[in-house]
């Protein structure tokens, strides 16, 4: 347990500095992206109407990694967490940025993600399933590896309209921080989530519809990796329950799962770029990114947030609360997802 007052009166100053550094970095990056032609061009699967700088996620990723090194320097972060979050995060955002710039083949990218997840599991002692004696070690490793890779790609899939992935990250960070406050489990994880939410909030200023900068894989792969690692770490250390994490990410889990399964049924290649997610279809029908992003934000705060609180105050209903959190978004994703696109 740590006290978030360890920065004393300078704590708010650190938060402001994170926000300011991200803003300045994004202003500089936007100019550099145009010069280096790191741009998302309009094509058959995009929802924007003009060339827009992409890969802006590299900025908040680097700022957050600097925060990780800062906490490590103050001895609030272990060497293992420095490796898995700091160096692992750097690999994740670098992979994403290279993909933003050079459009890496999906299979090659997957291979790197698998190695990255293996790297993470090494420093996470194999993951939480290693503590379950009934599960063979190699099976738990494979399951944990699959989970990490899935979360990385699931988050990547949700970066399909302006503000969606960024607002989702901010919501998730804040709800988990509130959870840790209720449970009185303030740790270094709390500080990390606060710092991440502040940096992504600065990015959201540029990414809110109509977006001036796209997150790109440099941000979505990074966020997916960081959240996947934190889910495992907090679960292993009894800081936050796994069901609370599932509830918080209910919409993202539902949409990506239904979309992937639906595309298999429709015999569509899962690893090919597409725009058949439910939120993308609705954005085209409504001809508006902002309406859909606000709708998901509204869903998270009105439906998901209360269920998360309910599961925290009464752990005996956590499974039921998890099912309730997933049900509406599963139905929505099925009705307006790939099957609607195919018609």
């Amino acid at each position: 347990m740590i006290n978030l007052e360890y920065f004393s009166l300078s704590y708010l100053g650190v938060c402001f500095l994170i926000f300011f550094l991200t803003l300045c970095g994004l202003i500089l990056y936007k100019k550099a992206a145009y010069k280096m032609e790191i741009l998302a061009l309009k094509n058959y699967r995009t929802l924007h109407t003009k060339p827009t700088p992409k890969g802006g996620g590299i900025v908040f990723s680097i700022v957050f990694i600097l925060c990780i090194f800062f906490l490590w320097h103050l001895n609030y972060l272990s060497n293992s967490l420095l490796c898995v979050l700091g160096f692992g995060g750097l690999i994740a955002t670098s992979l994403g940025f290279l993909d933003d710039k050079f459009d890496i083949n999906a299979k090659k990218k997957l291979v790197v993600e698998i190695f990255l997840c293996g790297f993470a599991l090494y420093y996470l002692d194999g993951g939480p399933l290693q503590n379950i004696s009934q599960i063979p070690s190699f099976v738990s490793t494979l399951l944990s590896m699959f989970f990490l890779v899935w979360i990385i790609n699931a988050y990547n899939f949700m970066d399909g309209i302006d503000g969606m992935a960024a607002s989702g990250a901010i919501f998730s960070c804040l709800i988990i921080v509130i959870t840790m406050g209720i449970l009185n489990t303030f740790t270094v994880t709390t500080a990390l989530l606060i710092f991440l939410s502040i940096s992504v909030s600065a990015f959201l200023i540029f990414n809110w519809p109509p977006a001036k900068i796209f997150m790109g894989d440099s941000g979505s792969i990074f966020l997916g990796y960081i959240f996947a690692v934190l889910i495992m770490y907090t679960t292993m250390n009894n800081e936050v329950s796994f069901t609370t994490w599932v509830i918080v990410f209910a919409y993202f889990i539902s949409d990506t799962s239904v979309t992937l399964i639906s595309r298999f049924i429709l015999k569509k290649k899962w690893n090919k770029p597409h725009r058949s997610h439910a939120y993308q279809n609705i954005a085209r029908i409504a001809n508006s990114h902002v309406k859909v992003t606000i709708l998901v934000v509204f869903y998270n705060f009105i439906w998901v947030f209360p269920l998360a609180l309910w599961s925290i105050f009464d752990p005996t209903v956590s499974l039921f609360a998890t099912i309730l959190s997933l049900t509406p978004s599963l139905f929505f994703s099925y009705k307006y997802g790939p099957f609607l696109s195919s018609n």
Side-chain angles (χ1 to χ4, degrees), residues 147-268:
F147 172 80
L148 287 170
V149 173
W150 168 243
I151 294 297
I152 290 173
N153 284 280
Y155 213 95
N156 189 27
F157 295 155
M158 295 305 296
D159 184 31
I161 63 173
D162 301 347
M164 176 68 77
S167 61
I170 297 167
F171 169 80
S172 302
C173 289
L174 294 180
I175 299 308
I176 296 300
V177 168
I178 291 172
T179 297
M180 300 180 82
I182 293 172
L183 297 174
N184 195 28
T185 55
F186 282 130
T187 66
V188 70
T189 308
T190 316
L192 289 171
L193 289 168
I194 291 172
F195 292 163
L196 181 60
S197 66
I198 291 171
S199 189
V200 177
S201 294
F203 171 77
L204 187 58
I205 294 174
F206 291 82
N207 190 239
W208 188 256
K212 302 174 184 65
I213 300 177
F214 292 152
M215 179 183 293
D217 284 4
S218 59
S220 59
I221 290 178
F222 173 82
L223 287 174
Y225 173 78
I226 293 298
F227 281 127
V229 168
L230 289 179
I231 289 170
M232 283 199 169
Y233 178 78
T234 55
T235 301
M236 292 172 67
N237 290 277
N238 298 314
E239 296 177 12
V240 182
S241 71
F242 182 74
T243 53
T244 299
W245 279 107
V246 173
I247 293 171
V248 168
F249 281 107
Y251 180 77
F252 279 26
I253 292 171
S254 300
D255 188 288
T256 53
S257 300
V258 171
T259 300
L260 184 63
I261 294 171
S262 298
R263 287 180 64 81
F264 270 119
I265 294 174
L266 293 169
K267 298 181 180 180
K268 305 286 186 180

Side-chain angles (χ1 to χ4, degrees), residues 81-116:
L81 274 183
L82 172 68
C83 289
V84 73
L85 291 175
F87 293 111
L90 183 60
I91 294 171
T93 193
S94 299
L95 170 64
F97 186 74
L98 290 174
D99 189 40
D100 290 330
K101 176 62 178 174
F102 301 109
D103 193 20
I104 301 174
N105 177 274
K107 292 181 180 179
K108 293 180 180 178
K109 191 165 59 173
L110 180 61
V111 170
V112 177
E113 290 173 355
I114 291 173
F115 276 106
L116 175 60

Side-chain angles (χ1 to χ4, degrees), residues 314-334:
D314 186 1
T316 61
V317 302
S318 59
L319 180 59
F320 182 57
T322 301
I323 295 172
L324 284 179
S325 70
L326 293 168
T327 301
S329 48
L330 284 170
F331 175 78
F332 174 81
S333 300
Y334 173 77

Side-chain angles (χ1 to χ4, degrees), residues 20-35:
F20 179 75
L21 285 175
T22 307
L23 278 181
C24 292
L26 287 165
I27 292 171
L28 295 174
Y29 179 81
K30 184 179 178 182
K31 295 179 180 178
Y34 277 114
K35 289 183 179 179

